[in-house]
Amino acid sequence: MDPYDVIADYLSDQEEGMKNLITWFLNQVMLQEALQQAGAAHYERTATRKAHRNGYKNRTLKTRHGELTLQKPQFREFPFETQVFGRYSRVEKALLNAVAESYLQGVSTRRIQEIVAHLGVEQLSSASVSRMAKDLDEQVQAFFTRPIEEPIPYLFVDASYYKVRDGARYVTKAVLVASGVRADGYREILSANVTDCENEAFWAGQFEELKERGLTGVQLVVSDGHTGIQKAAEAAFLGASWQMCQVHCTRAVLRNIPKKLQKEVAEWMREAYGDEQRLQAVADNLNTMGYRKPANTIERFLPGLISYTAFPKKHWKRIRTTNMLERVNRELKRRTRVVGVFPNDESLLRLVGSILMDINEEWISGRRYLSMEEE
């Protein structure tokens, strides 16, 4: 493929052109990898040659721009290795491992049986599954224990929930993810833990672990209204503020409002956020209407609903909610749905950790999330 044709495609049709551009680039990356591994170019006569080419094998790669069909070089003497599929194969391997563990341990719904037939999991031995798990665990452990090298002024914490087998029972457990916006404006996944308890002691321990890894500079902690997170954050990060996610607050208020009034009350809340007096007026109005419980909810969280206004206005939209992590949790749900029920905590964290490593790589290498320069 001629690079000028690829560029012309991009200029005429950016969506399809971007796929062609990425396909061309990744094929070029693999050609360079093949050159290094073979020790010689096509048909080159040299004493440094280690391998001879043996054509190409088509391999698909799913990306945010759609599914790409790449040409993976082949060698006669030994397998060609590439980093192009590395990050994707890591998640695929974690998914396969979770399904295999479910199958081998008897957590076999009809859907798992279908996946087993498609992936050939029944051909895997318990020893091979164990080896695969060990390799993935080492990668995930290294990711979640790496030093935190940049100050994190904005820290976000949120949870998503999964079914896990616990002996003969199936229980719901939380995956608690912590992420941050660094001082340079880029996002970073910091940690993830599986737990069936979200109390203050648990969060205090998590925050201390983050500090031991080098977490510094926290000025604002954004989360839902769980008192365990709030109290632990206030104790762990002296001088930092706590921001109650506005979306979670609105949900908590509307939970105790009749459906016919929910749209109107939601609009009151939207217009009042960021203004303490207006929020108090909404609470007073709800109390007058007889909705004491939602009024109490607003008053309980009131100090934490305006904390974001102490920071640069250009940051407000992205620091007043946990939407950044909500999107992460939706992606985790989407990519773990195929498993259904996880056979154990380790299997859940293994797959979630592999996906979070992918997301983190996209964040670090992608666009800056916030502009941190002073105006």
Side-chain angles (χ1 to χ4, degrees):
M1 185 181 294
D2 190 302
Y4 292 104
D5 292 337
V6 175
I7 294 170
D9 285 346
Y10 177 72
L11 293 175
S12 62
D13 182 352
Q14 289 196 359
E15 184 174 346
E16 189 63 27
M18 179 59 76
K19 290 177 63 176
N20 292 336
L21 191 59
I22 295 172
T23 299
W24 172 81
F25 173 75
L26 293 179
N27 281 335
Q28 292 299 311
V29 169
M30 287 192 287
L31 286 176
Q32 288 300 312
E33 290 177 318
L35 178 62
Q36 293 173 2
Q37 292 173 39
H42 261 308
Y43 309 114
E44 182 182 3
R45 295 182 180 275
T46 173
T48 61
R49 178 180 291 279
K50 303 173 186 175
H52 295 80
R53 300 294 186 88
N54 189 30
Y56 298 89
K57 183 177 181 180
N58 285 345
R59 170 89 183 264
T60 59
L61 178 65
K62 291 183 179 179
T63 73
R64 71 177 78 178
H65 300 288
E67 187 171 271
L68 313 179
T69 301
L70 305 179
Q71 290 187 313
K72 183 181 176 184
Q74 302 291 298
F75 293 144
R76 291 181 192 148
E77 290 81 0
F78 53 79
F80 168 71
E81 295 183 359
T82 177
Q83 296 185 43
V84 167
F85 300 96
R87 55 183 292 190
Y88 297 92
S89 63
R90 182 175 59 221
V91 175
E92 290 167 0
K93 190 185 294 184
L95 177 59
L96 175 61
N97 184 267
V99 172
E101 283 190 313
S102 297
Y103 181 71
L104 293 172
Q105 295 182 26
V107 187
S108 49
T109 63
R110 178 175 54 82
R111 184 167 53 179
I112 288 290
Q113 298 278 14
E114 292 171 355
I115 297 167
V116 163
H118 178 68
L119 297 178
V121 171
E122 69 276 3
Q123 300 172 11
L124 292 174
S125 67
S126 59
S128 62
V129 171
S130 180
R131 285 194 300 271
M132 189 190 306
K134 183 175 183 296
D135 175 59
L136 289 166
D137 286 343
E138 289 173 355
Q139 295 183 51
V140 171
Q141 177 69 9
F143 177 65
F144 286 135
T145 57
R146 73 194 189 283
I148 300 172
E149 298 176 340
E150 294 279 344
I152 306 288
Y154 301 132
L155 180 67
F156 297 77
V157 289
D158 200 14
S160 54
Y161 300 89
Y162 303 84
K163 288 289 186 182
V164 181
R165 188 178 188 183
D166 184 4
R169 300 186 307 141
Y170 296 99
V171 299
T172 299
K173 294 198 175 185
V175 172
L176 301 162
V177 179
S179 69
V181 178
R182 307 186 320 195
D184 60 5
Y186 285 91
R187 294 173 290 174
E188 186 170 352
I189 299 289
L190 301 175
S191 68
N193 293 276
V194 178
T195 182
D196 53 7
C197 177
E198 300 179 57
N199 60 21
E200 182 181 349
F202 171 83
W203 275 109
Q206 297 308 303
F207 291 147
E208 285 305 314
E209 285 185 15
L210 290 173
K211 288 164 68 176
E212 288 172 5
R213 286 170 49 205
L215 176 62
T216 60
V218 176
Q219 299 175 33
L220 184 69
V221 179
V222 188
S223 75
D224 63 13
H226 200 291
T227 54
I229 299 177
Q230 180 183 354
K231 291 180 180 179
E234 290 172 348
F237 307 112
L238 296 178
S241 304
W242 173 73
Q243 171 66 36
M244 165 65 167
C245 171
Q246 291 180 354
V247 174
H248 282 89
C249 183
T250 299
R251 288 174 186 164
V253 169
L254 296 183
R255 206 172 291 134
N256 296 288
I257 296 290
K259 192 170 184 179
K260 63 181 180 180
L261 295 177
Q262 286 183 359
K263 186 175 180 180
E264 183 179 8
V265 173
E267 184 63 20
W268 294 350
M269 297 288 292
R270 188 187 67 78
E271 293 178 351
Y273 280 129
D275 187 316
E276 188 171 4
Q277 292 183 341
R278 294 183 70 177
L279 283 167
Q280 184 61 59
V282 172
D284 292 342
N285 193 25
L286 290 173
N287 189 46
T288 300
M289 295 167 65
Y291 302 118
R292 184 60 190 160
K293 196 168 184 178
N296 285 342
T297 298
I298 296 174
E299 291 177 341
R300 178 158 57 94
F301 293 130
L302 191 54
L305 288 172
I306 58 172
S307 295
Y308 72 97
T309 61
F311 297 89
K313 193 168 185 178
K314 60 184 179 180
H315 296 172
W316 287 6
K317 186 177 180 179
R318 287 182 163 170
I319 64 172
R320 64 191 182 189
T321 70
T322 58
N323 282 355
M324 182 176 81
L325 273 182
E326 291 278 345
R327 286 189 286 271
V328 170
N329 286 332
R330 282 198 297 272
E331 181 66 4
L332 292 177
K333 285 288 188 180
R334 184 184 72 82
R335 296 174 76 176
T336 59
R337 191 177 298 124
V338 68
V339 179
V341 178
F342 285 85
N344 48 54
D345 292 0
E346 293 76 17
S347 182
L348 172 56
L349 186 61
R350 192 176 297 129
L351 179 52
V352 165
S354 298
I355 296 168
L356 290 176
M357 289 169 73
D358 276 7
I359 293 172
N360 192 64
E361 288 171 12
E362 291 181 4
W363 282 3
I364 298 299
S365 61
R367 298 177 62 181
R368 200 184 303 268
Y369 189 66
L370 290 176
S371 172
M372 307 301 278
E373 291 79 12
E374 293 185 7
E375 296 180 347

